Amino acid sequence: MGAIRSRRRCLVCLCGTLLAVFASAPALAEEVVNYGVQPDTDPSFIAKALGYFAPIEKKYHVKVVFREFSYGAPENQAMAAGALEVASAGMGPATIAVSRLPATLVAINILEQTAILVPIDSSLQSPCGLKGKTVAFPGVGSQQYPLLLKALSKCGLNASDIRLFKSSGPDIPILVEHKAVDAGITWDPSISVGLASGKVRVLAKAEHIMPIMGGHYIGNGVYVRNDFLEKHPRIVQGIVLANVEAINYILCHPEDAAALWSKQIGIKKNVIELSLDKGISVYSLDVVPTRQTMDAYTKFLKDAGILKPNDTPRIESAFAAKALQEVKAGKICIVTGPSR
Amino acid sequence: MSVASPPTARRASERGWFAGTARVRPFLYAAVVMLVVWQIVVMITRPDPSVLPPPIDVALTFGHLLRDGELGLDTAYSLGRVLCAWLFSAIVAIPLGLLMGNSRSLEKTINPFVELLRPISPLAWIPMAILWFGIGELGKVFVVFIGTFFPILLSTIGGVKEVDPVLLHAGQVFGCTSRISLFRRVVVPAAMPSIFVGLRVAFGTGWAAIIAAELVAAHTGLGYLIANGMDILRADQVLVGMIAIGVLGFLFDSFFRYLQGRYVRTAR
């Protein structure tokens, strides 16, 4: 009789334990923050490598998981499908996303990042010489396309004066190197990969075509889905802070940052150092997306026919401003690179 | 002074018009049902316009792209590429198919090549087309050529092989004494319905191939229009491209059916 009672007690205890485990399971489960990135010299890779996301992961019981995309358009499609909460992409796709999707731009984390390349022995001296030439570009939705149009318009040319060839960003330096095209406009680190080969050279840097923020072109932005922003503003703040801290690290320790990037994205360290040396990708602590900058950039995209006249990008500069304040309160080296 | 038509004549004319639209009506019903379902889905789920825009937005974009000439230009480019490749395929595949269908030894010699190359999707040829023909028109025409060649060839061979022996015998009785005259006056006309089917099918596969070719390496065409729409989150533009392809495909198929119907009646 006693044995039966004891068995019953054990069964009740077991059921109670299982019930408690199942009841607490949702509370224990980590929420995944899907963060869209591209394999480039994005500060978020440094933030991840240095554990800058760890405080928010611990405090809010979330896990920041990087989802890699080869370029911005599929990243935006993933966000449209609700598969990404946060994304980092070139300012072209980022501005398109925050104009057309329920998303908001919270920071600008890379400047420049775009250049027109030509073969090393090309006779071309400026974008004005591109008339009638074949130019490779990464698509209408990229930040490179409107910049190319701007470079042409400064010479009184337009898209119909050149022969456009759409290709993937990393393939463009190879096409230029092999003279399959006369020139190509692409993003970094593909630009630096091309320059490191010694077979291509820069015809024009973005800052010479359209200086829009601190004397540079805006390269890359961080944007967040609106429902996530409303639900988790503190997590968003933590993510922006992690990015600014990473930029501060890049500015203070460029060589170490190059080594970390090399490990994370598989591009040689010397190529990344070349990018920092030549200012192909420029990093600045001033990551605040101001209305003035964004208005100028939006007009630029509207003029290029990429945005509709009634498209208005949503920006929220408070997160970047607060993160900048916090980082500036600590030890900073310089505000804008290249620092080498 | 105008004379009003008698009511009976008008009713007959209306009935005639209604009967005349009988073939088009099922397609109109299908289009209307699709539009209604689309609108209902939009009203119930309220998706973001960059995921699924309402039909009216797509109609407005269609009108806009049509007015500024972009849709017409892209359609003309795609159509030109498909027509060019399809005609070239027909010029090569029909004579080759007629000869292969008529000669067992020739068929045995060429068939292994056909069967080895046929399963390779036209899309798989795109990288090679860029390498061999560059980024101009020739590469795209080549990809469509690959997509259109085999349906025409196989239909032609099938058409020749399936010619009724009674027709061949009748041809000989009616004076086609030489092999050439029998081939020209009996075999070729008898194989034409099958050749037409091949041409129709090939035009469809050609459309599929050109859209894929233009997604990769082009700066004009309906495939390019769709790819750009995807890049800049313009689902309305993507849908306009898709609708244009659907409508053009339907119109061309109807045209081929009409020609086929006429030809078959004449042959009878």
Side-chain angles (χ1 to χ4, degrees):
Chain A
M1 194 69 177
I4 291 171
R5 253 186 223 155
S6 151
R7 232 177 279 161
R8 267 187 195 157
R9 248 178 244 148
C10 279
L11 201 66
V12 169
C13 281
L14 187 70
C15 287
T17 312
L18 283 174
L19 204 66
V21 167
F22 282 121
S24 61
L28 291 171
E30 273 182 338
E31 192 177 341
V32 171
V33 178
N34 295 290
Y35 194 131
V37 288
Q38 293 165 43
D40 58 16
T41 50
D42 192 310
S44 57
F45 283 107
I46 301 294
K48 192 184 179 192
L50 295 173
Y52 290 162
F53 292 119
I56 46 166
E57 286 182 328
K58 202 175 165 190
K59 194 172 176 185
Y60 302 107
H61 214 69
V62 293
K63 180 90 186 148
V64 177
V65 177
F66 278 12
R67 309 285 181 196
E68 284 199 26
F69 296 86
S70 53
Y71 62 107
E75 208 173 335
N76 281 347
Q77 285 152 19
M79 185 168 264
L84 294 180
E85 281 78 34
V86 186
S88 177
M91 279 308 290
T95 311
I96 290 167
V98 299
S99 301
R100 302 242 167 90
L101 296 179
T104 302
L105 184 77
V106 290
I108 293 171
N109 61 352
I110 312 179
L111 301 175
E112 280 297 298
Q113 226 195 359
T114 292
I116 302 175
L117 298 174
V118 288
I120 194 88
D121 55 356
S122 169
S123 59
L124 292 172
Q125 292 305 317
S126 82
C128 299
L130 290 173
K131 189 173 181 178
K133 306 284 185 196
T134 303
V135 183
F137 78 118
V140 169
S142 67
Q143 83 220 41
Q144 284 70 32
Y145 176 70
L147 196 75
L148 178 64
L149 295 187
K150 182 82 177 174
L152 293 173
S153 73
K154 283 186 166 185
C155 309
L157 304 173
N158 59 44
S160 61
D161 291 316
I162 58 168
R163 212 163 155 234
L164 284 167
F165 177 61
K166 187 179 172 183
S167 183
S168 76
D171 287 346
I172 288 171
I174 301 164
L175 290 170
V176 175
E177 192 181 311
H178 289 92
K179 297 181 183 173
V181 291
D182 300 300
I185 185 164
T186 189
W187 55 69
D188 206 33
S190 301
I191 299 166
S192 304
V193 170
L195 293 177
S197 75
K199 291 175 183 167
V200 301
R201 64 177 171 85
V202 171
L203 180 70
K205 273 183 76 182
E207 63 193 5
H208 299 134
I209 302 165
M210 196 183 179
I212 192 171
M213 191 174 177
H216 299 285
Y217 185 56
I218 43 178
N220 205 81
V222 180
Y223 48 108
V224 185
R225 230 177 50 217
N226 286 349
D227 57 341
F228 183 76
L229 183 71
E230 282 159 23
K231 201 175 163 190
H232 302 292
R234 286 178 183 170
I235 296 177
V236 173
Q237 183 62 64
I239 286 170
V240 176
L241 177 64
N243 268 279
V244 184
E245 283 175 326
I247 293 169
N248 191 34
Y249 182 86
I250 296 160
L251 294 170
C252 292
H253 312 284
E255 281 185 20
D256 295 341
L260 286 173
W261 267 320
S262 176
K263 210 172 163 186
Q264 300 252 326
I265 60 172
I267 288 176
K268 285 180 184 168
K269 189 177 169 232
N270 67 318
V271 172
I272 298 168
E273 285 174 343
L274 181 77
S275 165
L276 297 172
D277 276 343
K278 304 259 180 200
I280 306 294
S281 287
V282 173
Y283 300 89
S284 170
L285 283 180
D286 187 6
V287 294
V288 184
T290 62
R291 180 51 70 188
Q292 194 187 3
T293 303
M294 287 311 294
D295 281 351
Y297 194 68
T298 305
K299 185 184 176 297
F300 175 53
L301 293 185
K302 283 179 182 174
D303 289 346
I306 293 164
L307 287 183
K308 284 183 186 175
N310 55 347
D311 280 332
T312 310
R314 279 169 292 272
I315 62 167
E316 180 51 80
S317 52
F319 295 102
K322 194 177 172 193
L324 179 60
Q325 211 177 5
E326 276 187 49
V327 172
K328 275 187 172 173
K331 188 199 166 200
I332 63 162
C333 301
I334 52 168
V335 174
T336 304
S339 57
R340 289 160 55 84
Chain B
M1 200 175 111
S2 68
V3 178
S5 57
T8 44
R10 202 166 55 222
R11 271 202 296 274
S13 142
E14 278 167 7
R15 271 201 303 274
W17 175 84
F18 192 70
T21 61
R23 283 184 186 175
V24 184
R25 258 180 279 142
F27 298 100
L28 287 176
Y29 293 148
V32 171
V33 167
M34 279 195 279
L35 272 174
V36 170
V37 170
W38 179 1
Q39 183 61 42
I40 290 170
V41 168
V42 167
M43 281 162 68
I44 293 171
T45 62
R46 296 185 177 277
D48 193 89
S50 58
V51 177
L52 182 65
I56 186 71
D57 280 11
V58 177
L60 289 172
T61 306
F62 196 100
H64 173 74
L65 289 173
L66 204 61
R67 268 197 311 279
D68 72 6
E70 198 181 335
L71 187 62
L73 196 69
D74 284 329
T75 304
Y77 267 105
S78 292
L79 201 57
R81 287 164 186 153
V82 173
L83 277 173
C84 193
W86 178 78
L87 280 173
F88 191 57
S89 283
I91 289 167
V92 180
I94 293 174
L96 185 65
L98 289 172
L99 292 173
M100 282 173 74
N102 212 39
S103 158
R104 222 166 251 266
S105 58
L106 189 69
E107 193 194 356
K108 272 189 176 173
T109 313
I110 297 178
N111 203 40
F113 295 98
V114 172
E115 290 308 317
L116 277 173
L117 293 172
R118 193 168 65 90
I120 303 171
S121 159
L123 315 189
W125 288 93
I126 293 173
M128 302 314 293
I130 294 171
L131 288 173
W132 293 342
F133 302 106
I135 58 175
E137 294 302 313
L138 213 54
K140 290 165 203 73
V141 171
F142 172 75
V143 170
V144 182
F145 172 81
I146 295 287
T148 52
F149 178 77
F150 294 109
I152 301 174
L153 181 73
L154 295 181
S155 296
T156 309
I157 296 170
V160 173
K161 283 186 161 182
E162 281 163 19
V163 173
D164 194 339
V166 175
L167 279 177
L168 295 175
H169 185 68
Q172 282 165 337
V173 168
F174 283 104
C176 297
T177 46
S178 69
R179 261 190 91 177
I180 293 172
S181 73
L182 192 66
F183 181 75
R184 193 170 59 84
R185 298 183 67 184
V186 179
V187 175
V188 174
M192 279 312 268
S194 179
I195 295 172
F196 255 108
V197 171
L199 288 169
R200 251 181 68 204
V201 171
F203 204 81
T205 55
W207 265 119
I210 191 63
I211 297 307
E214 287 171 349
L215 286 172
V216 180
H219 61 281
T220 47
L222 291 171
Y224 183 72
L225 183 78
I226 290 172
N228 276 352
M230 282 165 67
D231 278 3
I232 58 174
L233 288 174
R234 289 281 304 271
D236 53 342
Q237 194 176 306
V238 174
L239 285 163
V240 166
M242 288 167 66
I243 290 167
I245 291 165
V247 170
L248 282 170
F250 169 73
L251 289 176
F252 272 95
D253 198 61
S254 303
F255 177 64
F256 286 126
R257 275 172 191 273
Y258 166 76
L259 285 182
Q260 195 179 348
R262 264 187 81 92
Y263 177 77
V264 170
R265 269 203 296 276
T266 312
R268 275 173 195 158

